[in-house]
Each structure stands twice: as structure tokens, then as C-alpha cells.
Amino acid sequence: MSRKPKLVQGRGSGDREQASGASPSLLERIAGPRDLHELSDAQLAQLAQEVRTHIIDTVGEIGGHFGANLGTCELAVALHSLLDSPKDKVLWDVGHQAYPHKILTGRRDQLATIRQYGGLAPFCSIAESEHDIMGAGHASTSVGYAVGIKEGMRHLRSLRARELGAAAAQREPEGRVVAVIGDGAMTGGVAFEAIGQAGGLGTPLVVVLNDNGMSIAPNVGALSRYFNRIRLNPKLWHARADFEGGLTRLPGGIGAAFERLGPQLKESIKAFWAPGLWWEELDWAYTGVVDGHDVRALREALREALAAERPVVVHIATVKGKGFAPAEEGGLEGMEKWHAAKPNSIVNGVPAGAGAAGKASGAKAPAPQYTQVFGEALVRECERDERVVGITAAMNSGTGLSILQKAMPERYFDVGIAEQQAILFAAGLSLEGVKPVAAIYSTFLQRAYDQLVHDVCLQRLNVVLAMDRAGLVGDDGPTHHGAFDIAYLRCLPNIVLMAPRDEAMLVRMLRTALTYDHGPIALRYPRGEGVGVELPREPTPIAIGRGEILREGDAAAAPGRRVALIGYGTGVGKALAAAEELAGLDISATVADARFAKPIDAGLMAQLAAEHDLLVTVEEGVLAGGFGSAVWETLNEAGATPRILRVGLPDRYVTHGKPALLHEEVGFTATRISERVAAAVSGRATAISRSSPPAGSAIVGA
């Protein structure tokens, strides 16, 4: 049996056994947040449990973020029972804990569409609901948003006071602002910056620190240990109050003397006892630890915090996966496993049988995931070279570094949700001759851009960047698509960029990166299964800046019908498939794997330009500043002016949905590519480029 901390208790706990029974459904009567305002504590506790049951039943069937949402049911109910959204603002950090909020703000019947193409967004979205105040999917940002929103309210109110008079402005009270942030997200530096600013300004807002000891994986670092000491030792809070009271009750006039000391005594005692001292020193009021599954206790704490008119943090303790036994009672392993639920993984409130979601017997085993291939290859590289280490920013399983963590824990580093520190840490390691591999999602690496520019590339340090989730990642949507890394890295001096066409090339490129001693080198690779090729037992490095031809076109093809498709990363597979379709249209296609976006293989590009009538670049990244632009720039600087059709991602944020659906939407399929090539070859290229090009394509030099 797992131990649970003794927390600040109130009546009306939202546990399943207390909310169960024959009471009529409250959730069906909730059309919006204001419907919660007249409910009693007991009714609100029942409502929270109904929200939890709805999430278990729905997400267990369709898949999606799971554990964190089960932990915030009572919190969402308590907040919306006290606030008047959207006038009052509730900001949910990351948003993977906001499903209860979505349910209570008019989207209950749409929950079954979440993360699906055309359905609800996986995180909060300002385009989806007026109750979604921020549309971020990256951690640690809610407090910064909240400070800006509240200071914006104060500024506009001062303007109204000048225009209408103080009395008139006073009749229009400001909205209240609450930011909900997890203890994992509190490891992000941007959260500390916002906390410091709010304390300095005295910004009247409330931060709810949702402390469950987890982000996706167990939290790390000194701050996490500090929160654990507080959360697991609430006696400290009560002991301080008892100690203060005991001193003032001492006989013989001693107690009266202590009482006269007043503030000096209180501050001295607080410095010794207070678990919230860190916050207090930054001019925040601290209250906690509150049971995050007790509606009444939450409402009492939040009501007092909202009335304080100063920065207040309400520290609550929740259980990730609350109400779902495999997560709640499975310890850290259970909570991590059920961070997200796979489709059809839960039936009637319990995990589905292993056979229910498994493949039929005799079915062909799927190809290994790119993430797994990378993780296993990194372990082998660590065995080969004692200088190699792995770094993650709180994504050990997501990046495959959990394999290294288990095999060689002394060579594994987790900096928490702090990508900037991950890259700075890698820079420091490199300065001492270590070979650091920073495995970070493409979309999250954006957060460390200054460190890439200033600390790694400027100093030409030997840092390896392993960018997982490159391209369109699917259900997590635009906040997580790896669309921009080619463009945002290609402009930096001293860096090498490469992308594998399959999992075997990924293994070879990792070896290449770790044997390269002339500066930073980055490799991007997609989410999901590999191609299914055999992995090399002893990978050999590849020459930097060298591409290769995979398919030779017909040199005797009719003039005007010779094309060269140049793929980069996942674009190679699309190019090969498109070449097959073009053959049926009597168009001769050569296919090349560029392998590098920087440096470009200028000799190969010049050869392809000289021997073909049209070059087609294919990349799963934005076109502006991307790989296709690099090819055009390289040839242009050499004096060549070939016709180039660039295929990639469009100049917009792509929605969420299965990758196949998204690829179809943006034209990143073999059929759509072959159609564009055929149009260009037949003479319709100019018309296409001058009117409205298909999504994700552009023609230069036509």
C-alpha cells in the first residue's frame, strides 16, 4: 500500500466512494461555468467525481492525456465555482491537465473528439473557446501570461479612471487571474522570471501550484526535493503555528514579552519553520499544503487567496491518475505509464486485457520506433566511447534516453523542464572534452535558441543535438509539430544539419555526429515507426556534406520530362514513392538523398541540375528558409538557374490529427507530389506558381 501525506482536510472530499450512489447526474446539467455557482460543497464534490468518470470512460476509449487530468477534477470544479469565466481568467500551464476545464466550459459532449482531426484541440486553444485564455502547449508559461494579463487589466483600469473618473472606474471591477502550474513545470526558468516580476510589482494574482511529484516522468532536481519535503511534511506548517501560540502563553510575563515582540518574533519563527519561505522572500503569500481532492478545502484556500489582493501561491497536493487504480496505486511507475492513455486501453473503468489492444497472432511485427532505435544506439555509443553522455529535459521516455538511464545511469542527465539549461550544460561538458548528446524534441529545442546561437555555435563546441519528433507529429498538434528546426538552425554558422531517411541511417548518423570534432552537429528524425530496414551491426560514419543517388532516371528520356527528386529525411521516402507514380506518366525521375541540409552537397546538386529539366526538393519542414531554399541558394551562388519545385510544409500552423491526414491536407504525399511534378512538366508550373500554389509547395525559377 502506498503512503499518502496527511493534508489540510475539509468536508466534501471528491473520492469515488463518497460521490457514488444513486444521486442524479449533475454533469448533464452543466452548460457552462456559471452553473456551478449555486451548488453546495457536497454537490461540487459529486460533480468532480462525475467529471473524473467521464474522462476515464471517454479517454480510455479514444486515447489522450489521462493521469494529469484525473488529478485536476476537484481543482477545476473549485475554481469555476468561485470565478466568473471568462471575465475572470484561469490559465492552465501546458494544457494537458485542462480536460476537466474543457468539460465544465461547454465542451463535455465534444470530449470524444479531442486530439482527433477536426476535433477539440489537445491543449487549450483561444480559437476554440472564450474560456481558454492562453493557447500554449509548452510548460512553465502560465505565470508569465498571468502577470501580463493582470497588469494589462490594471493599466486599462487606470486609463478608464482618467477618462471616466475614479468612481466610475471603481464600478467596473477588474477580473481576477489564476494560473495553474505543476511542480514539474516549476523547474522551468521562465516560471521563476515571472514569479520574480510579480513579487516586485505586487501583482494581485493567484498561482495554484499543483504538486503531484510528476510531470511526464518523476521530477528531478533540488526544487522537486524541496516541494516533496513540504508536501510530505505538512506538520511543519501546523508546528509553526503551535510554536508561536505556545510562546505567547508562557507564564510569569514571559509570554507577554514574546507577544510584544510582534512582527520580529513572527519573522524569526517563520524563517525557521515556514515551508513557504522561498515564496515569502519573493513577496508572495504562501498557503498550503491543501488537499487537491477536497473541494471544500480548495474553495476555502482559493477564496482567501483571491481576496488577498497581492501575489498568493496556493500549494495543493494531488494524485496523478486519481480515481484510476492502476495509476493511483501503481506508484511513480503507474503514474508515468498512465500519463496518456492509448485508444481502447480502458474498458468499464479498468485496463483492457492485453489481447484486446494487441495484434492478431501471426501478424508481422512492426518496425522499431525511431526513438527506440536512437536510445539503443546511444547506449552502444556510450559503451564505445567513455566520453559520451546523454542529456534530456524531463523527457526520458519520450526521447529514448530512459534506455540509457537504465543501462548506464551515471552517463544520463535530466535537467528538468529547462531546455536552456540542457544546452548550457552540454556546452559546459563539451568545454571539458565530454561528448554530450542533448536529446530534445524539435519543438522544445526552440526554447533554447539563444544558447544554441551564443553558447554552442559561436564557440563551435562539440555538442550533438538529437531532435526527435521532427515533422508533423500528429495528435498533439501545432505546439508540438517539429516544423521549423531546419530553418531556425540552417542560418547559424558552424553547425552541421543532417536527417536520416530510415532507422539504419539514423544509427550511422549518430556515429557520424559523435566522431565529428569540428563543432555542433544536429540530426532530426520523425516520431513513429521506422521503415523496417536492417540495422548495421557496426555503423560506419558518412562523409559530412555528401548526398547519394538512390534511383537513376532514364538519361534517354524525352527532353522536358527528366526530373530529379531530392529528398531530405522523411522526404526521401516520399520522393521514391512519387518516382514510381511518375514512371506511369512517362516521366523519368532520379531520386537523391541529400542527407545534409548544411553543408549542402554542392557538387551533387550541380550534377542533378545539369542533367534534369526540373529539380524537386521534398522536406517535412517549412519551406521558408528550409532545405529547398538551401538547394536553390547553393545553385544560384554557383551561377545556375534551374527550375525548382519545393515541396514541404505550408506557411501556417498545421492542426492536430493523425499524420496521414495531415500529410494529405498539406500535400505531403507521393500522389500529390507526383501531381505537382506532372503539372510542372506539362507546362502548367507557371500558372500554379503565379496563382495559388497547392498547400506546401512553391516553384522558383519557373
Side-chain angles (χ1 to χ4, degrees):
M1 181 178 295
S2 61
R3 292 184 177 181
K4 298 179 183 178
K6 184 178 180 182
L7 304 169
V8 179
Q9 295 288 344
R11 298 175 187 172
S13 173
D15 288 345
R16 178 184 292 268
E17 60 270 17
Q18 289 178 279
S20 62
S23 302
S25 172
L26 287 170
L27 184 55
E28 293 179 1
R29 293 157 41 190
I30 303 299
R34 291 185 180 179
D35 293 335
L36 281 68
H37 291 181
E38 302 303 320
L39 299 181
S40 67
D41 285 345
Q43 288 175 312
L44 292 170
Q46 176 187 334
L47 176 61
Q49 186 54 47
E50 291 180 14
V51 169
R52 177 174 287 111
T53 300
H54 185 51
I55 291 172
I56 292 173
D57 292 343
T58 305
V59 178
E61 179 181 347
I62 65 167
H65 292 110
F66 189 65
N69 288 299
L70 297 184
T72 58
C73 295
E74 286 81 13
L75 176 60
V77 165
L79 285 169
H80 283 301
S81 72
L82 296 172
L83 299 174
D84 184 18
S85 179
K87 179 182 178 182
D88 296 330
K89 316 294 184 185
V90 185
L91 299 100
W92 298 87
D93 206 90
V94 184
H96 67 241
Q97 58 185 337
Y99 289 19
H101 159 80
K102 293 198 178 204
I103 291 169
L104 296 171
T105 52
R107 290 167 278 181
R108 176 191 69 236
D109 295 337
Q110 297 170 274
L111 185 65
T113 71
I114 202 162
R115 302 176 84 242
Q116 299 180 27
Y117 190 67
L120 292 181
F123 308 104
C124 292
S125 169
I126 58 176
E128 183 177 285
S129 171
E130 63 180 351
H131 300 288
D132 289 2
I133 309 304
M134 54 182 269
H138 292 184
S140 313
T141 60
S142 62
V143 184
Y145 272 111
V147 179
I149 289 171
K150 188 59 184 178
E151 289 299 328
M153 290 178 176
R154 297 172 84 182
H155 178 67
L156 293 177
R157 185 173 183 177
S158 68
L159 293 181
R160 287 196 299 272
R162 231 178 290 161
E163 296 171 0
L164 307 174
Q170 198 69 29
R171 290 194 291 270
E172 301 177 23
E174 294 174 11
R176 295 169 291 180
V177 180
V178 178
V180 181
I181 185 169
D183 57 319
M186 275 297 300
T187 63
V190 68
F192 288 90
E193 294 173 16
I195 289 163
Q197 184 189 16
L201 293 172
T203 307
L205 60 86
V206 174
V207 166
V208 176
L209 176 58
N210 178 24
D211 185 356
N212 58 27
M214 295 279 290
S215 47
I216 294 175
N219 294 324
V220 297
L223 185 67
S224 175
R225 291 196 297 270
Y226 170 71
F227 286 147
N228 280 335
R229 286 198 300 271
I230 299 171
R231 181 162 48 89
L232 297 176
N233 292 281
K235 293 177 182 177
L236 288 173
W237 184 257
H238 302 298
R240 190 191 102 194
D242 293 342
F243 185 61
E244 288 180 27
L247 287 176
T248 59
R249 290 193 295 271
L250 289 173
I254 300 175
F258 275 119
E259 193 167 15
R260 285 194 301 272
L261 289 174
Q264 296 95 331
L265 172 66
K266 186 174 182 180
E267 288 303 311
S268 297
I269 295 171
K270 183 172 69 176
F272 182 77
W273 288 101
L277 177 62
W278 182 81
W279 295 91
E280 300 277 358
E281 290 298 321
L282 293 174
D283 291 324
W284 283 70
Y286 172 93
T287 184
V289 177
V290 180
D291 185 348
H293 301 299
D294 185 327
V295 172
R296 181 171 180 174
L298 281 171
R299 279 164 52 82
E300 289 174 356
L302 290 169
R303 190 181 289 111
E304 292 176 0
L306 290 165
E309 288 299 310
R310 60 169 295 192
V312 181
V313 60
V314 179
H315 186 175
I316 73 171
T318 60
V319 176
K320 192 171 185 179
K322 176 70 174 175
F324 184 68
E328 186 175 354
E329 300 173 7
L332 294 177
E333 183 179 345
M335 286 190 282
E336 184 174 0
K337 177 181 178 181
W338 290 100
H339 170 75
K342 296 180 180 179
N344 300 311
S345 60
I346 299 171
V347 178
N348 295 325
V350 298
K359 299 284 185 182
S361 60
K364 182 181 179 182
Q369 302 277 320
Y370 277 99
T371 300
Q372 178 186 349
V373 171
F374 165 78
E376 293 174 349
L378 182 57
V379 170
R380 291 192 295 272
E381 293 298 331
C382 286
E383 293 169 343
R384 180 187 62 83
D385 186 342
E386 293 182 348
R387 297 173 299 165
V388 177
V389 301
I391 304 169
T392 180
M395 298 295 292
N396 59 345
S397 297
T399 60
L401 258 65
S402 56
I403 302 172
L404 177 64
Q405 179 185 20
K406 182 177 180 180
M408 307 174 74
E410 73 282 0
R411 309 277 283 280
Y412 162 86
F413 296 93
D414 184 350
V415 302
I417 303 177
E419 288 82 6
Q420 288 178 284
Q421 171 57 16
I423 300 305
L424 276 175
F425 178 57
L429 289 169
S430 178
L431 286 169
E432 284 299 304
V434 177
K435 286 277 192 175
V437 178
I440 301 175
Y441 290 4
S442 165
T443 181
F444 294 153
L445 190 61
Q446 297 162 182
R447 313 188 80 182
Y449 196 66
D450 184 60
Q451 285 64 43
L452 293 171
V453 174
H454 178 271
D455 301 292
V456 173
C457 290
L458 175 62
Q459 301 181 92
R460 204 163 193 157
L461 298 181
N462 294 327
V463 173
V464 177
L465 305 172
M467 296 180 292
D468 203 325
R469 271 48 169 195
L472 299 180
V473 300
D475 301 338
D476 282 340
T479 61
H480 284 56
H481 292 323
F484 308 107
D485 59 86
I486 303 171
Y488 73 65
L489 290 175
R490 193 173 69 83
C491 62
L492 301 181
N494 300 330
I495 195 169
V496 172
L497 305 182
M498 54 186 175
R501 64 178 178 264
D502 55 37
E503 59 269 43
M505 187 59 69
L506 171 59
V507 174
R508 291 186 64 194
M509 284 186 170
L510 181 60
R511 172 64 59 87
T512 303
L514 286 168
T515 54
Y516 179 73
D517 289 318
H518 305 288
I521 188 165
L523 58 152
R524 74 184 318 251
Y525 47 95
R527 179 182 188 179
E529 295 179 3
V531 177
V533 298
E534 184 178 354
L535 299 178
R537 292 186 178 182
E538 182 54 42
T540 55
I542 59 177
I544 299 295
R546 291 289 182 87
E548 64 177 325
I549 294 176
L550 303 179
R551 170 184 169 134
E552 293 277 6
D554 184 1
R561 304 189 72 79
R562 296 172 300 177
V563 303
L565 291 91
I566 310 166
Y568 182 61
T570 57
V572 177
K574 302 292 185 183
L576 287 167
E580 291 293 331
E581 296 194 15
L582 289 169
L585 301 175
D586 197 27
I587 296 175
S588 173
T590 295
V591 177
D593 178 1
R595 302 199 293 197
F596 293 86
K598 186 174 186 176
I600 288 284
D601 189 338
L604 177 60
M605 298 304 118
Q607 174 190 338
L608 294 172
E611 296 174 353
H612 298 83
D613 305 299
L614 175 69
L615 300 185
V616 183
T617 62
V618 188
E619 62 189 301
E620 197 170 354
V622 291
L623 292 175
F627 167 71
S629 296
V631 172
W632 183 85
E633 290 165 9
T634 299
L635 292 171
N636 180 262
E637 289 172 3
T641 56
R643 297 178 68 220
I644 300 178
L645 167 64
R646 295 179 299 140
V647 176
L649 302 184
D651 187 23
R652 61 178 172 84
Y653 291 97
V654 180
T655 187
H656 60 278
K658 299 301 179 188
L661 294 173
L662 301 182
H663 288 167
E664 182 64 36
E665 178 188 304
V666 302
F668 194 68
T669 66
T671 298
R672 295 285 296 279
I673 294 169
S674 64
E675 289 173 351
R676 295 174 194 174
V677 172
V681 167
S682 66
R684 289 184 284 131
T686 302
I688 292 175
S689 63
R690 290 177 180 172
S691 57
S692 54
S697 69
I699 297 178
V700 293

